[in-house]
Amino acid sequence: MKITILDMETAAINNDISLDSMRELGELNIIGVTDNSRTAEFIGDSDAVICNKSRITREVMERCPNLKYVGTMGTGFDQIDIQAANERGITVCNVPAYSADAVAQHTFALILNYYCKISEYAADVSNGGWTQKKYFTSFGLPTYELSGKTIGLIGCGDIGRKVARIADACGMHVLAYNRNPEKLRDIDYIKCVSPEELLRQSDIVSIHAPLNDSTRELINRDTLAMMKHSSLLVNTARGGIVNEADLADALNSGTIAAAAVDALTVEPMSDETPLRGAKNLTITPHIAWAPIETRRRLMKTVYENLKCFILGEPQNVVNNTNFQ
């Protein structure tokens, strides 16, 4: 079997992830950085492709007639034309739940950074601010306790439930909007509510939903207007769930107090990003999923997915290859 791995530099830094197990499965073609205009060229006559953000479109599939398998280095698969894969009998597999701990951890890092003013106080100390004080402490910037606050989770799957558990441990009230609320019935500290109620009641709104037609620009001018003026919006999911121009307006006008995001609609960030320069905004460069333990877990499942496919027992399949 000929296997092409695209976007390898998005999963490994200085070869900190071993690909020895993948080499046991077939002839390996590794592409570090993928230009989408050359995706079909890179795949060529490969039987299988592993990708992260490279777009596997209908045209790519048509130009790569040997392709039988597409594996994602991630949970999301919105970059793959599932309908075209169905029609061509191509199996598509993802890696569910691998980053739940890491993303929940990063979500609370963003929340705590805002509530405790970590970055601002550390910068002030570095600039010599503390040396100018008369007393042992310096608390000119207001900080807040999480205990007693309400967090609203838009999407409450593997990651959302991890965030909910941390929030409960911090003494917070947890609201959730989930398309399958029955899956949360046995979790007594999560209250399922409508999107409108969640937005109106939450001190923190945290997004943990996939990007699809029903969630695209779910956070927009109208939904932001429902939130408390004192609220914090956190997005560690997909940038496209938020209308970035509307969020910038909401931050600059004081419609909401602050936002912290780890994903943008267009990545990497460009000078044209609507959020560039917005007030009270923290942006991290899509790193919530990236601890070394998380990436090793990811690539282990990527390997297992392909091995199971080769053995005729595919796992983590996200499409219907019997579609006619």
Side-chain angles (χ1 to χ4, degrees):
M1 169 171 280
K2 187 172 182 179
I3 307 160
T4 291
I5 301 181
L6 303 173
D7 317 321
M8 191 60 216
E9 289 186 17
T10 67
I13 303 171
N14 298 323
N15 298 314
D16 61 353
I17 302 293
S18 173
L19 294 177
D20 290 346
S21 59
M22 293 291 293
R23 290 188 173 90
E24 297 173 2
L25 299 179
E27 176 187 348
L28 210 58
N29 174 36
I30 302 171
I31 308 297
V33 179
T34 306
D35 179 345
N36 273 316
S37 67
R38 299 182 62 192
T39 298
E41 174 189 341
F42 289 139
I43 296 172
D45 61 351
S46 295
D47 303 286
V49 62
I50 308 297
C51 62
N52 194 336
K53 298 300 181 185
S54 291
R55 298 195 62 78
I56 310 299
T57 63
R58 179 180 296 273
E59 179 186 0
V60 167
M61 295 178 198
E62 289 173 350
R63 291 177 58 189
C64 302
N66 287 358
L67 196 60
K68 306 174 185 68
Y69 176 89
V70 178
T72 69
M73 290 187 285
T75 303
F77 47 90
D78 49 281
Q79 77 279 23
I80 301 166
D81 189 327
I82 295 296
Q83 177 79 2
N86 286 340
E87 293 171 7
R88 300 183 70 84
I90 296 172
T91 298
V92 180
C93 297
N94 75 336
V95 183
Y98 77 98
S99 65
D101 286 319
V103 177
Q105 170 181 301
H106 195 81
T107 297
F108 263 87
L110 294 172
I111 292 170
L112 290 167
N113 182 61
Y114 174 69
Y115 267 67
C116 300
K117 300 295 185 288
I118 299 295
S119 297
E120 292 94 328
Y121 275 118
D124 182 63
V125 170
S126 294
N127 292 329
W130 199 8
T131 64
Q132 308 302 316
K133 301 302 180 182
K134 298 178 181 179
Y135 308 111
F136 74 95
T137 183
S138 174
F139 53 89
L141 296 171
T143 59
Y144 308 92
E145 292 183 356
L146 288 177
S147 181
K149 300 296 189 298
T150 297
I151 187 170
L153 308 176
I154 298 177
C156 203
D158 294 305
I159 296 171
R161 288 193 292 271
K162 292 277 187 180
V163 172
R165 187 184 304 170
I166 298 171
D168 179 61
C170 291
M172 302 181 72
H173 306 295
V174 182
L175 305 179
Y177 169 67
N178 201 53
R179 61 182 179 179
N180 296 310
E182 63 277 2
K183 292 184 177 181
L184 305 176
R185 286 177 182 166
D186 294 334
I187 307 177
D188 58 6
Y189 53 83
I190 298 178
K191 179 182 179 182
C192 291
V193 296
S194 68
E196 295 78 13
E197 184 177 353
L198 183 148
L199 293 168
R200 292 189 175 106
Q201 293 190 17
S202 297
D203 299 294
I204 300 166
V205 173
S206 191
I207 302 171
H208 303 287
L211 176 62
N212 52 45
D213 289 341
S214 64
T215 62
R216 194 176 306 278
E217 297 194 356
L218 177 67
I219 301 301
N220 54 51
R221 187 179 305 276
D222 293 336
T223 50
L224 287 162
M226 296 179 191
M227 294 172 62
K228 296 180 180 180
H229 293 313
S230 59
S231 63
L232 167 69
L233 175 70
V234 181
N235 183 15
T236 52
R238 289 289 184 265
I241 297 173
V242 177
N243 182 307
E244 292 174 347
D246 288 355
L247 176 56
D249 289 343
L251 291 168
N252 292 332
S253 66
T255 299
I256 65 171
V261 303
D262 185 57
L264 297 175
T265 301
V266 177
E267 296 172 337
M269 185 177 187
S270 72
D271 290 336
E272 288 72 42
T273 299
L275 289 173
R276 194 177 184 91
K279 294 180 181 178
N280 301 318
L281 172 66
T282 298
I283 301 176
T284 53
H286 209 138
I287 57 168
W289 68 283
I292 181 63
E293 299 92 344
T294 314
R295 290 183 288 116
R296 287 174 177 163
R297 186 183 308 119
L298 165 69
M299 292 308 295
K300 182 175 185 291
T301 304
V302 167
Y303 158 77
E304 291 171 349
N305 282 351
L306 181 54
K307 182 178 180 180
C308 287
F309 171 77
I310 293 171
L311 294 174
E313 300 175 352
Q315 65 175 17
N316 297 320
V317 179
V318 298
N319 68 324
N320 175 15
T321 54
N322 294 321
F323 181 91
Q324 296 294 332

